[in-house]
């Protein structure tokens, strides 16, 4: 079962016998409540009024109010005027120095604090962090362990001290693989912190971050919202909520929280980093670089900022398939390595940012480096395992994910992915010259057989030729069905992202394609169409070294499908274009990674295809190939347009929009077929006509005119199909059904009816064509295989006919018509013994089957 994990209670730290809060003067308590609830200006004023009576506490409190709003200069001014000889002042100065990257100043302040108070928890925390960032990992670990020992030996703590304990204990637990410690932190220590001080929102915040680290999104959201309920102006919480939204690719939600965090505190580094992440997720690399270069002014040595910037430079400059680091990335890495030979955080962040930018092979390389540089980190091992799974290296993925789970059993994505691998262990494998297919033998053996043949014989040769690229390795396709209490779509989603929900039925990660088994979907869909669509992504991603934007490969995949725009897309265009409610080339990817609605998702596909069609119309038949080549040379869309067509993006957008308006004008013409009869009126008249031949003929003429006047409105073809079915006009029915099939690639019943009509008319080639397409929408329909078998036999394609009829009998062994047709196919192909065996089985069950008896007698030896 795929689910969110709940953590059991397990202890390393021992619960204290008694927790005691400070008992400051009433004025200090009131000022602190103002500070904790986000009333920073009032709190600063209250602390200032207490400066004479409580100079140290007032200075610390006032400085923290200023820091919460990014007013670092004011905070430093207050601290510089505070009385000497107090560890609390040096602790806060150390924090300020550390967070702006001045490690030497931070060390001096830590030393001063510890000289005044050897048990200064704040100073001890920053001392351990200073050891970490310079690569003295043994000393850092000893520093974290000090907190565990101190906590176990003491009973009274302030809320700030207990927060330090929680931070250090979490680090110690990560490094020493003490996974149960996280349970204690979220279930005991942080709740106890709220008993000391009910408004202490950082307790909720830190618990939320721990859940976020484990991808336990519901619990993370609950804790962070609880923190925000206490302090709506906690910039750190808004940044964490942005990170949570980004996990689910809710880019607008992430952007909203980032903007709010920076409005509160313009110097909050985490908010700047998440602002860059949001831009990277939307392929806005240049904008992300600008944000990150600005963030370096806050702290030029922060490894998380530098990792993101190195990734953005790599995306902008291009990463070779061989993995050679581009110049700007290499320069940053060399400087980071000089300062910290164990800079695992830098390489992990670099890998994660490349992952976010969908540069999957490069991300894997830097996750490996993070693991090698700093094996203490828990994140890189799981991230690398997930990346290998995405890239199809399932054996290595399992090894790493097993190790990651042993280290951290509460990581939801890791746990779910291991369950996926357990399911895949039971799957069968079908291998062809260019593909490996994995499937549930009991459910999808027939699908795998037909899919493998379709990919190998029809998709691969055509698309490899069309795109001028051939993958180096076999492409992996996996079909997921219901297993272990979870449905097929849940397993498919977990396979792709480690979480239970992805909105599509198929997805591609560049080397792996996963699909929900069509057998388990309520609504039938054309699985062959999906296979072809996803293989386009396989080619495009690999041939551009994963640089092709999401929207462009979707445009190419939809174009390859070769069907007209669905009616729903036309309706969206008619609604949205006049209002100007459209994506543009800068925002179009958002419609795929996290659409606001189903309509937005459909609009993204529609607009992508229209951008591609406009390129073909305006710039010639090789326009799309030029763009693809530009992406292969690591250009962004703006540069690709300039190189391919010599046009600025803004001008291109204007010209495309003008073309789009003309298109919509054609779609939005008045709802009248002949100037006399609307589609609504025609539908009403069809009902009223009953079986009156004259009225049906008159309506047919109007319907034909309506279809000509409104070729994009399939309602006219539906009307005509119903009309011709009533009147018995098979030629008219066939014509209307062909139009409906052309406009709806997932319509099984239309294709099945066309196959039967063609078979009845003796047009075996057409019958075979429509039956084949019907099979690609419902492979488990007995009649369709029977029709296809007869159609193949009618063309004297006897081996294929026999195969189809045998499939029909696998689906229903007692189907007499299929068995008789099989016997005839055996006879016609010169296999009389097999024909007699089939007839013997049939006549045993149905001795009165006259045609079978006649053939039996004819075949008698």
């Amino acid at each position: 079962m795929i689910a969110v994990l709940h953590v059991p209670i397990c202890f390393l730290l021992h619960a204290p016998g008694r927790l005691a809060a400070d008992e400051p003067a009433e004025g200090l308590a009131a000022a602190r409540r103002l500070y904790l609830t986000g009333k920073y200006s009032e709190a600063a004023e209250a602390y200032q009024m207490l400066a004479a009576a409580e100079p140290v506490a007032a200075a610390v409190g006032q400085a923290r109010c200023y820091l919460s709003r990014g007013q670092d200069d004011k905070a430093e001014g207050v601290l510089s005027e505070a009385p000497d000889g107090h560890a609390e002042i040096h602790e806060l100065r150390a924090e300020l120095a550390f967070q702006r990257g001045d490690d030497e100043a931070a060390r001096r302040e830590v030393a001063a604090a510890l000289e005044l108070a050897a048990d200064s928890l704040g100073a001890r925390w920053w001392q351990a962090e200073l050891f970490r960032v310079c690569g003295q990992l043994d000393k850092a670990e000893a520093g974290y362990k000090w907190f565990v020992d101190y906590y176990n030996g003491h009973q009274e703590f302030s809320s700030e001290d207990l927060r330090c304990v929680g931070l250090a204990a979490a680090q110690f637990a990560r490094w020493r693989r003490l996974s149960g410690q996280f349970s204690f932190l979220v279930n005991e220590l942080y709740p106890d912190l709220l008993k000391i001080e009910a408004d202490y929102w950082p307790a909720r915040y830190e618990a939320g971050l721990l859940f976020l680290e484990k991808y336990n999104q519901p619990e993370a959201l609950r804790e962070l919202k609880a923190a925000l309920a206490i302090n709506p102006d906690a910039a750190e919480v808004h940044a964490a909520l942005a990170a949570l939204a980004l996990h689910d690719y809710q880019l607008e939600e992430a952007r909203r929280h980032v903007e709010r965090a920076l409005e509160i505190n313009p110097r909050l580094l985490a908010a700047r980093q998440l602002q860059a992440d949001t831009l990277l997720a939307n392929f806005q690399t240049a904008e992300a670089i600008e944000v990150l270069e600005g963030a370096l002014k806050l702290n030029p040595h922060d490894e998380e900022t530098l990792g993101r910037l190195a990734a953005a430079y790599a995306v902008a400059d291009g990463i070779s398939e061989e993995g050679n680091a581009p110049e700007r990335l290499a320069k940053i890495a060399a400087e980071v390595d000089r300062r910290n030979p164990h800079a695992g955080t830098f390489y992990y962040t670099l890998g994660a940012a490349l992952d976010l930018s969908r540069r999957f092979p490069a991300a894997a390389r830097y996750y490996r480096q993070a693991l090698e540089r700093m094996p203490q980190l828990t994140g890189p091992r799981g991230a690398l395992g997930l990346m290998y799974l995405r890239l199809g290296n399932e054996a290595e993925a399992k090894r790493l994910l097993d190790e990651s789970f042993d280290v951290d059993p509460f990581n939801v994505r890791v746990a779910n992915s291991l369950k996926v691998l357990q399911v895949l262990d039971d799957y069968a494998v079908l291998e062809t010259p260019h593909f490996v297919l994995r499937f549930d033998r009991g459910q999808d053996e027939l699908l795998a057989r037909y899919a493998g043949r379709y990919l190998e014989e029809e998709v691969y040769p055509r698309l490899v030729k069309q795109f001028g690229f051939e993958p180096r390795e076999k492409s992996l396709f996996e079909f997921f069905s219901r297993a272990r209490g979870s449905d097929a779509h849940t397993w498919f989603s977990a396979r792709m992202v480690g979480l239970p929900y992805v909105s599509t039925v198929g997805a591609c990660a560049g080397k792996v394609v996963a699909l929900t088994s069509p057998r388990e979907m309520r609504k039938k869909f054309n699985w062959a169409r999906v296979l072809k669509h996803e293989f386009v992504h396989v080619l495009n991603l690999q041939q551009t070294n994963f640089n092709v934007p999401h929207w462009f490969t979707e445009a190419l995949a939809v174009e390859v499908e070769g069907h007209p725009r669905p009616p729903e897309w036309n309706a969206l265009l008619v609604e949205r274009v006049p209002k100007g409610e459209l994506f543009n080339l800068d925002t179009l990817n958002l419609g795929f990674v996290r659409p606001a609605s189903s309509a937005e998702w459909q609009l993204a596909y529609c607009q992508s295809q229209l951008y591609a069609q406009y390129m073909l119309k305006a710039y010639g038949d090789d326009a799309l190939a030029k763009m693809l080549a530009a992406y292969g040379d690591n250009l962004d869309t703006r540069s690709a347009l300039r190189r391919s067509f010599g046009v600025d993006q803004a001008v291109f957008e204007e010209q495309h929009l003008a073309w789009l308006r003309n298109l919509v004008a054609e779609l939005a013409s008045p709802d009248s077929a002949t100037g006399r009869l609307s589609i609504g009126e025609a539908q009403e008249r069809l009902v009223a006509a009953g079986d009156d031949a004259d009225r049906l003929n008159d309506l047919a003429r109007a319907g034909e005119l309506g279809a000509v006047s409104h070729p994009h409105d399939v309602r006219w073809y539906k009307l005509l199909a119903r009309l011709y079915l009533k009147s018995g006009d098979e030629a008219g029915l066939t014509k209307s059904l062909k139009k409906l099939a052309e406009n709806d690639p997932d319509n099984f019943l239309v294709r099945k009816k066309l196959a039967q009509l063609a078979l009845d008319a003796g047009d075996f080639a057409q019958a075979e064509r429509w039956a084949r397409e019907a099979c690609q929408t419902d492979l488990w329909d007995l009649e369709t295989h029977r029709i296809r078998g007869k159609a193949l036999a009618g063309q004297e394609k006897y081996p294929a006919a026999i195969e189809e009829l045998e499939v029909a009998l696998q689906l229903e062994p007692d189907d007499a018509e299929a068995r008789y047709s099989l016997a005839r196919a055996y006879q016609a192909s010169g296999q009389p013994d097999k024909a007699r065996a089939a007839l013997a089985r049939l006549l045993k069950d149905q001795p009165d089957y006259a045609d079978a008896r006649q053939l039996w007698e004819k075949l008698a030896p």
Side-chain angles (χ1 to χ4, degrees):
M1 176 75 71
I2 299 293
V4 170
L5 301 180
H6 297 282
V7 292
I9 295 177
C10 180
F11 295 89
L12 172 70
L13 297 173
H14 308 295
R18 180 167 61 90
L19 289 168
D22 291 337
E23 297 181 357
E26 186 174 336
L28 284 175
R32 182 159 174 85
R33 279 194 297 275
L34 290 169
Y35 163 69
L36 288 174
T37 55
K39 300 175 178 65
Y40 301 128
S41 296
E42 298 96 313
E45 291 177 6
Y47 279 123
Q48 189 172 16
M49 293 175 63
L50 293 163
E54 296 284 351
V56 175
V60 170
Q62 192 176 2
R64 288 206 174 277
C65 290
Y66 289 138
L67 291 174
S68 296
R69 291 181 295 174
Q71 298 171 324
D72 290 25
D73 292 344
K74 287 186 176 182
E76 290 180 351
V78 168
L79 293 174
S80 67
E81 296 174 3
D84 292 329
H86 295 276
E88 300 96 312
I89 301 297
H90 292 290
E91 286 179 15
L92 193 48
R93 285 176 177 166
E95 178 179 339
L96 272 165
F98 182 87
Q99 292 185 348
R100 66 172 176 257
D102 190 348
D103 294 352
E104 287 304 316
R107 290 189 186 93
R108 289 195 300 271
E109 296 295 344
V110 163
L114 292 176
E115 185 176 349
L116 292 166
D119 290 345
S120 167
L121 272 69
R124 289 275 185 175
W125 167 250
W126 294 116
Q127 182 183 56
E129 286 291 272
L130 285 163
F131 286 137
R132 177 182 63 82
V133 298
C134 72
Q136 294 179 277
L137 302 185
D138 290 343
K139 290 183 177 180
E141 183 179 311
Y144 301 139
K145 185 178 184 299
W146 180 91
F147 283 87
V148 176
D149 297 336
Y150 184 87
Y151 178 84
N152 290 334
H154 293 75
Q155 294 183 328
E156 296 186 2
F157 299 90
S158 70
S159 49
E160 301 292 352
D161 282 349
L162 204 56
R163 184 186 187 186
C164 286
V165 169
L167 291 170
Q171 281 285 58
F172 185 66
R174 293 183 189 98
W175 288 22
R176 295 296 296 271
R177 312 310 192 225
L178 304 169
S179 59
Q181 188 63 45
F182 295 104
S183 306
F184 176 72
L185 292 172
V186 298
N187 290 311
E188 296 290 323
L189 187 136
Y190 289 129
D192 280 344
L193 226 169
L194 292 167
K195 294 176 185 176
I196 297 174
E197 197 167 16
D199 289 334
Y200 194 69
W201 61 265
R204 295 284 196 180
Y205 167 71
E206 297 295 352
L209 290 184
L210 287 175
F211 283 121
L212 187 60
E213 178 184 317
K214 313 302 178 189
Y215 293 91
N216 190 332
Q217 294 171 323
E219 291 299 319
L221 182 62
R222 183 177 67 83
E223 292 290 346
L224 294 173
K225 281 190 170 180
L228 211 59
I230 297 171
N231 182 357
D233 285 345
E236 298 90 337
V237 178
H238 282 288
L241 285 166
L244 180 61
L246 199 57
H247 275 198
D248 208 25
Y249 272 90
Q250 295 179 354
L251 300 189
E252 285 301 321
E253 179 77 357
R255 190 176 291 119
R256 184 175 67 81
H257 280 296
V258 165
E259 288 173 356
R260 181 62 185 133
L262 292 173
E263 182 183 344
I264 297 165
N265 183 354
R267 294 183 61 84
L268 184 64
L269 187 57
R272 295 289 179 192
Q273 292 166 348
L274 284 158
Q275 184 180 30
D277 289 346
T278 305
L279 293 166
L280 288 172
N282 194 39
F283 304 95
Q284 293 175 268
T285 307
E287 293 87 343
I289 288 172
E290 184 178 353
V291 167
L292 291 164
E293 288 178 341
L296 284 182
K297 297 174 184 177
L298 302 176
N299 183 342
H301 301 151
D302 183 82
E303 290 187 10
E304 293 192 35
T305 302
L306 289 166
R308 287 170 168 87
L309 183 58
Y313 283 156
V315 171
D317 300 342
I319 309 173
S320 71
E321 199 169 345
E322 295 74 26
N324 298 324
E327 183 178 351
R328 288 194 289 180
L329 186 159
K331 182 177 180 181
I332 291 176
E335 181 60 24
V336 169
D337 290 341
R338 185 188 63 78
R339 282 196 306 272
N340 180 2
H342 299 287
T345 298
F346 166 77
Y347 287 101
Y348 180 35
T349 307
L350 171 53
L354 289 168
D355 191 342
L356 192 60
S357 302
R358 297 173 181 257
R359 300 304 201 274
F360 299 142
R365 287 196 293 273
Y366 290 107
Y367 283 147
R368 279 198 304 272
Q369 287 204 37
L371 194 56
E372 292 165 1
R373 303 268 179 152
M374 195 174 174
Q376 291 91 337
L377 294 176
T378 57
R381 183 175 279 99
L384 183 57
L386 291 166
M387 185 55 66
Y388 279 148
L389 190 60
R390 181 173 286 175
L391 294 172
N393 187 349
E394 292 179 348
E396 187 63 11
K398 186 175 188 309
R399 181 185 71 79
L400 287 162
L401 291 171
D402 278 335
E403 291 177 5
S404 180
F405 186 79
D406 289 342
V407 169
D408 181 8
F410 304 130
N411 186 308
V412 174
R413 291 183 70 197
V414 168
N416 285 342
S417 297
L418 282 171
K419 292 174 185 176
V420 169
L421 287 169
Q422 289 171 1
V423 168
L424 287 171
D425 279 344
D426 297 331
Y427 275 15
V429 176
L430 173 65
E431 197 159 348
T432 73
H434 300 105
F435 298 93
V436 176
L437 291 83
R438 301 186 72 178
F439 58 96
D440 183 337
R441 187 182 298 279
Q443 295 292 322
D444 286 326
E445 186 168 6
L446 188 63
L447 173 64
R449 190 202 317 172
Y450 277 71
R453 183 181 301 159
Y454 174 70
L455 285 167
E456 199 62 63
E457 296 177 0
E458 298 186 45
V459 172
Y460 191 89
R462 174 191 163 188
L463 295 188
V464 164
K465 181 179 179 181
Q466 179 176 340
F467 289 103
F469 176 80
E470 188 167 9
R472 294 179 181 176
E473 302 169 348
K474 293 185 179 184
S475 301
L476 176 61
F477 280 68
E478 295 176 341
F479 301 90
F480 287 90
S481 60
R482 175 176 292 276
R484 306 185 184 201
S486 291
D487 63 29
H489 196 73
T490 298
W491 287 115
F492 152 73
S493 301
R495 171 63 178 86
M496 296 311 297
V497 298
L499 296 171
Y501 183 73
V502 173
S503 60
T504 61
V505 295
C508 171
K511 297 184 179 181
V512 175
V513 172
L515 288 89
T516 302
S517 170
R519 194 172 189 178
E520 300 206 16
M521 298 296 291
R522 291 181 182 177
K523 185 177 180 181
K524 291 180 173 63
F525 68 89
N526 188 320
W527 52 263
R529 171 193 179 202
V530 175
L531 293 179
K532 184 193 293 182
H533 182 110
E534 298 302 332
F535 190 62
V536 172
H537 297 331
V538 171
L539 297 175
N540 293 166
L541 286 166
Q542 291 189 38
Q543 71 187 124
T544 63
N545 199 22
F546 289 75
N547 188 55
V548 63
H550 197 142
W551 73 266
F552 191 68
T553 185
E554 293 293 356
L556 295 176
V558 174
E559 277 290 288
V560 162
E561 289 178 28
H563 294 281
R565 281 189 311 278
E568 298 81 3
W569 292 12
N570 288 330
L572 276 171
L573 291 172
V574 170
E575 175 192 352
R576 296 292 191 95
V577 170
K579 297 178 181 177
E581 296 176 355
L582 299 169
F583 296 108
N584 60 37
L585 289 175
D586 290 330
T587 62
L588 189 49
N589 287 316
L590 283 174
F592 295 105
V593 296
R594 181 50 62 181
S597 64
S598 175
E600 294 281 288
W601 186 57
Q602 294 287 345
L603 183 64
Y605 277 102
C606 176
Q607 283 196 244
S608 293
Q609 185 184 27
L610 287 169
Y611 272 119
Q613 290 178 343
Y614 173 71
M615 289 177 185
L616 290 169
K617 183 175 181 63
Y619 300 107
D621 293 343
D622 61 348
L624 302 182
K626 286 181 177 179
M627 287 292 289
L628 199 57
Y631 290 129
D633 289 339
N634 205 60
L635 299 184
D636 59 15
T637 295
R638 193 174 303 275
S639 302
L641 288 169
R642 194 176 298 116
R643 188 181 91 173
S644 301
F645 314 132
V647 63
D648 183 75
Q649 182 172 317
V651 174
F652 176 86
E653 294 275 25
E654 289 175 8
Q655 294 170 343
H656 170 261
L657 185 57
W659 174 79
L660 196 56
R661 286 175 177 144
N662 289 333
L663 174 67
V664 169
E666 296 176 11
L667 295 174
S669 55
D671 185 20
S672 171
T674 64
R676 300 186 304 273
L677 191 65
S678 72
I679 180 64
E681 291 168 336
Q683 290 168 336
E684 291 174 3
R685 290 192 186 186
L686 177 60
V687 174
D691 296 325
D692 187 312
D694 291 337
R695 294 173 71 182
L696 289 174
N697 286 334
D698 289 342
L699 193 54
R701 284 190 290 273
E704 293 286 358
L705 288 172
V708 170
S709 301
H710 301 278
H712 300 293
D713 191 342
V714 296
R715 293 177 298 173
W716 287 105
Y717 301 120
K718 290 180 180 178
L719 173 81
L720 287 168
R722 290 169 58 199
L723 192 155
Y724 289 133
L725 187 62
K726 257 190 175 186
S727 66
D729 182 347
E730 291 193 354
L733 177 59
T734 297
K735 180 180 176 183
S736 301
L737 290 178
K738 284 181 177 179
K739 280 292 186 180
L740 289 174
E742 180 183 301
N743 281 277
D744 186 354
D746 298 322
N747 195 317
F748 164 72
L749 292 176
V750 163
R751 285 166 170 77
K752 182 177 175 180
K753 183 64 175 178
L754 281 167
Q756 186 63 63
L757 287 169
L759 187 67
D760 293 344
D763 189 344
F764 299 122
Q766 281 296 298
E768 195 275 326
R769 174 247 174 127
W770 290 115
R772 182 180 69 251
E773 289 194 16
C775 282
Q776 291 173 347
T777 304
D778 187 350
L779 190 56
W780 296 271
D781 183 76
L782 159 69
E783 292 179 68
T784 305
H785 287 285
R786 188 203 297 146
I787 294 169
R788 189 178 182 192
K790 289 181 178 182
L792 287 163
Q795 300 172 79
E796 300 183 358
K797 299 176 180 178
Y798 296 117
I802 289 168
E803 181 181 5
E804 286 300 318
L805 293 165
E806 286 177 341
V807 168
L809 289 168
Q810 288 173 17
L811 295 170
E812 179 47 72
D814 295 330
D815 187 81
E817 187 177 350
R819 196 166 295 279
Y820 172 68
S821 297
L822 178 62
R824 290 193 62 183
Y826 279 139
Q827 178 216 11
S829 63
Q831 302 179 73
D833 292 343
K834 289 186 176 181
R836 282 193 295 271
L839 290 169
R841 166 72 186 272
L842 173 56
L843 290 169
K844 179 181 177 182
D845 296 335
Q846 296 192 35
D848 297 330
Y849 200 118
D851 289 343
R853 176 65 62 187
Q854 184 178 357
L855 184 59
W856 173 264
E857 291 172 356
K858 183 179 179 180
L859 290 171

